[in-house]
Amino acid sequence: MCPTYPHPTGWLSGAGDQMNSTPTVGVLALQGGVREHAEVLDALGARTALLRTPADLLGPDGLRVDALVLPGGESSVIDRLIRTFGLYDPLQEAILAGLPTLGTCAGLILLANRVEDPAPGQQSLGVLDATVLRNAFGSQVDSAEVELETAEGPVRVAFIRAPEVVAVGPGVEVIARRSQAIVGVHQGAITGIAFHPELTGEARFHRHLLTQIGGHQQRAAS
Ligand code: GLN
């Protein structure tokens, strides 16, 4: 259901990132690290809209945002709040329709089809064909700044009780590993990363999110 991403390499390079107007990026703001994402997006020239209710995401004429960030935090809490606030279906539908989406850490867990070691009753949006194992790095990398190798060169990011991607479906591109562990994936307009670029001032993942906006124009005229 997700569109195939046309550029298997060069995903961090920002190629083609001309922004004609100021894009609005919805940052899910129910729990977790929202402010740092807003700061990175602001520095890139995007507007941030905090999403707490379905009406924040969806207006009478369609989506109110051009892209979406699912932040880190505690995935089981965010999952519960998404369902309590009636955001589960609107978020799932928007992402499956191709809304460019970046999930970091707990956000990656929320995106995944399958979650290993979930909290009791924990669900996920199930829009990314991947299996994630929560808290995979244990206390060893409980909270650490790490330089990761990616296809686009090294990136410096933070790991905080991070998940690992332990299996991916055929349409999923691996974009980052920590040693052998998969910690970044890409499918269609969805990017899921186990770490926090927003805590180290690494802006390329957010810039990449903005470059994907052109392909998805469901947004209501404002
Ligand atoms: N371990 C957390 C969870 O399972 C994720 C941590 C994070 O987002 N930094 O949701």
Side-chain angles (χ1 to χ4, degrees):
M1 190 172 260
C2 291
T4 306
Y5 183 55
H7 307 296
T9 58
W11 59 273
L12 266 186
S13 66
D17 59 343
Q18 310 90 352
M19 287 194 288
N20 296 329
S21 57
T22 304
T24 300
V25 179
V27 180
L28 188 66
L30 299 174
Q31 189 264 340
V34 173
R35 181 173 49 86
E36 293 85 355
H37 284 290
E39 285 170 2
V40 175
L41 291 164
D42 185 56
L44 292 172
R47 192 179 296 129
T48 296
L50 302 184
L51 302 183
R52 295 195 177 94
T53 68
D56 295 334
L57 179 66
L58 206 54
D61 303 318
L63 288 176
R64 295 188 195 273
V65 300
D66 301 299
L68 180 66
V69 170
L70 304 180
E74 174 49 49
S75 57
S76 58
V77 173
I78 300 175
D79 164 59
R80 189 155 26 86
L81 293 173
I82 281 174
R83 287 182 279 130
T84 302
F85 285 84
L87 272 162
Y88 186 94
D89 288 337
L91 280 174
Q92 189 185 52
E93 280 165 26
I95 299 168
L96 286 175
L99 182 67
T101 298
L102 173 65
T104 61
C105 204
L108 162 64
I109 297 168
L110 288 165
L111 291 169
N113 275 349
R114 296 164 298 274
V115 179
E116 288 188 1
D117 197 17
Q122 179 171 1
Q123 298 175 26
S124 64
L125 292 166
V127 292
L128 172 68
D129 192 6
T131 305
V132 295
L133 171 62
R134 292 174 67 226
N135 305 317
F137 293 93
S139 57
Q140 184 200 353
V141 202
D142 218 22
S143 181
E145 259 189 54
V146 172
E147 190 158 283
L148 283 183
E149 274 307 320
T150 74
E152 303 296 313
V155 294
R156 189 156 192 87
V157 295
F159 279 73
I160 303 170
R161 293 186 302 117
E164 175 186 345
V165 179
V166 292
V168 294
V172 176
E173 181 192 358
V174 174
I175 60 169
R177 287 182 191 267
R178 177 168 161 70
S179 300
Q180 291 309 305
I182 298 172
V183 292
V185 292
H186 197 206
Q187 180 183 21
I190 300 171
T191 302
I193 49 182
F195 46 84
H196 296 271
E198 77 282 4
L199 296 180
T200 54
E202 169 54 69
R204 283 175 287 177
F205 295 90
H206 297 76
R207 188 183 304 127
H208 172 72
L209 178 72
L210 300 180
T211 68
Q212 301 222 289
I213 286 173
H216 179 78
Q217 288 305 351
Q218 276 200 356
R219 190 183 168 205
S222 51

